[in-house]
Amino acid sequence: MGFRRDGVGRDPSRRRLTPRLSVHDIAIDLGTANTLVFVGGRGIVVSEPSVVASDSLTGEVHAVGAEAEQMIGRTPATISAVRPLRHGVIADFEVTEEMLRYFIRKVLDRRRGHPRMIVCAPSGVTEVEKRAVEEASLAAGARRVHLIEEPIAAAIGAGVAIGEPIGRMVVNVGGGTSEVAVISLGGMVLSRSIRVGGYEMDEAITQYLRREYQLAIGSQTAEAIKISIGTARPPESETATPVRGRHLITGLPTQVSLRSEEVREALKPPLDEILRTIRDTLEQTPPELAGDIARDGILLAGGGTLLRGFAELVAAETGMPVFSADSPLRCVAFGSGQALDHFDQLGSTTGMPRTLSTRD
């Protein structure tokens, strides 16, 4: 099959990087849910939640990453644990800057504290949002900053030969955004980006429990439900799981039994929106490229595509072959890390030609 011929099936982390790659270079997949850091010559060295816990009065940062995520919903009034990115873009500039600085210091010693950096960004971000990512990276200590669009990075990380005159379709479902892109000759022919992803799925489960059971649950509980019994299509056998939360009427802790078919019903609206975006993109794809996609299939990347039955659902709705990247959660970071070797030529292939440095 098409993607298999071009490299899907190999582990991108095992590829030998060329000698030109500098240990001063860093690639960051700055996601709504998780941040992954790729260091030249070392591979992915950090994979932590994009969460910062800080004092709401003084602004002092108490924790970043996994430690901060454990504090969500469990902090005293003076400390807030927040995700500084929403829908793939910066919602809190200063907190994002602190988080980037933390990750840079974690992977580089102070003598190498001003790296060149590639940062992944959703394909649908505005110029203002791009500038915010670049400036936050420079303020955090980067010497030069390049942006690369996530569908391009995902395809590179999955081993797809994007430089060929062949149409490739990538569907990347992250925590805050879902992107559908058609790639040919190293660039995006067309793309669609919607602000629906894993968090909207979690919110749909939360709202279902409030509506049907008058039960309030937290975001982490909703995600655990999605992972444990969430499905995009009916499985061979349905399952159930106990869910604990606070009853909205009595205010007391309550437990209910939630069935997998109920979770599937709750997930239907966000999944329908993602499928609609895929169909709309296919309908607008030039005929020659559409023929390539029909032959070679659709590549799935991002944590949202790990929902059980998602690949089968996309295949059934589009009639196309569907393949998942070997490392859906990491292929964007792998791809941006491999792009480090072409840092100075990156602008001509990503659709984001501007490079910022501390001199700008």
Side-chain angles (χ1 to χ4, degrees):
M1 290 307 212
F3 285 128
R4 298 288 170 183
R5 286 200 305 271
D6 292 328
V8 171
R10 299 195 300 266
D11 184 356
S13 66
R14 294 181 182 175
R15 295 186 179 183
R16 182 175 297 174
L17 299 173
T18 66
R20 297 193 305 275
L21 199 58
S22 168
V23 292
H24 293 272
D25 294 337
I26 293 178
I28 296 185
D29 177 11
L30 189 62
T32 307
N34 297 288
T35 294
L36 287 82
V37 181
F38 184 108
V39 176
R42 295 167 58 192
I44 295 177
V45 295
V46 169
S47 177
E48 294 197 37
S50 302
V51 184
V52 177
S54 59
D55 192 303
S56 55
L57 299 178
T58 65
E60 179 187 356
V61 174
H62 289 275
V64 178
E67 183 181 355
E69 185 183 43
Q70 297 176 356
M71 301 180 184
I72 293 179
R74 297 182 174 91
T75 59
T78 57
I79 297 177
S80 60
V82 299
R83 297 184 183 273
L85 292 101
R86 294 191 180 91
H87 303 295
V89 299
I90 293 175
D92 190 317
F93 183 89
E94 292 182 356
V95 175
T96 302
E97 178 188 328
E98 289 292 337
M99 184 175 72
L100 284 170
R101 183 176 288 111
Y102 167 84
F103 287 130
I104 291 173
R105 289 175 177 172
K106 186 170 184 176
V107 301
L108 294 180
D109 59 42
R110 293 187 182 276
R111 291 174 295 173
R112 299 174 179 174
H114 297 282
R116 296 191 308 175
M117 185 184 298
I118 290 177
V119 182
C120 298
S123 58
V125 297
T126 66
E127 288 298 321
V128 172
E129 291 166 342
K130 292 177 189 176
R131 185 80 188 192
V133 174
E134 292 165 334
E135 291 183 347
S137 301
L138 292 172
R143 183 170 79 252
R144 295 179 66 200
V145 181
H146 240 320
L147 297 187
I148 182 172
E149 291 169 318
E150 289 180 359
I152 294 282
I156 295 171
V160 176
I162 65 170
E164 297 179 352
I166 298 174
R168 317 284 190 180
M169 174 170 273
V170 178
V171 176
N172 181 43
V173 181
T177 60
S178 294
E179 299 175 86
V180 184
V182 177
I183 299 170
S184 181
L185 288 171
M188 292 199 301
V189 178
L190 74 158
S191 65
R192 297 287 181 273
S193 180
I194 57 172
R195 299 195 169 186
V196 174
Y199 286 133
E200 281 63 39
M201 297 182 195
D202 297 343
E203 179 63 23
I205 294 172
T206 300
Q207 292 302 321
Y208 181 89
L209 283 163
R210 292 178 71 92
R211 183 175 65 252
E212 298 296 326
Y213 292 97
Q214 291 77 51
L215 190 71
I217 62 171
S219 59
Q220 291 177 301
T221 300
E223 183 180 24
I225 293 170
K226 179 183 66 179
I227 293 172
S228 63
I229 63 171
T231 56
R233 300 191 77 194
E236 293 183 1
S237 60
E238 302 287 358
T239 56
T241 187
V243 178
R244 299 175 182 85
R246 177 175 55 82
H247 199 280
L248 293 173
I249 297 176
T250 66
L252 299 176
T254 304
Q255 176 175 304
V256 301
S257 178
L258 187 67
R259 304 188 309 277
S260 55
E261 56 263 41
E262 293 179 283
V263 178
R264 189 164 57 253
E265 178 185 343
L267 293 175
K268 190 174 186 304
L271 289 176
D272 283 348
E273 194 165 350
I274 295 171
L275 290 171
R276 185 162 52 249
T277 303
I278 296 173
R279 288 194 297 265
D280 290 347
T281 306
L282 283 170
E283 289 171 2
Q284 297 181 35
T285 300
E288 293 295 334
L289 299 182
D292 294 337
I293 296 168
R295 180 193 66 224
D296 294 339
I298 299 172
L299 173 68
L300 301 182
T305 63
L306 294 173
L307 179 70
R308 281 186 293 274
F310 183 83
E312 292 80 1
L313 180 64
V314 173
E317 290 291 325
T318 62
M320 306 282 182
V322 176
F323 307 97
S324 293
D326 285 341
S327 303
L329 288 167
R330 294 181 163 223
C331 64
V332 171
F334 282 135
S336 56
Q338 292 173 47
L340 284 170
D341 194 44
H342 307 280
F343 189 94
D344 293 323
Q345 294 79 40
L346 199 57
S348 62
T349 60
T350 62
M352 292 184 175
R354 185 175 67 249
T355 303
L356 263 65
S357 70
T358 52
R359 297 187 300 272
D360 293 332

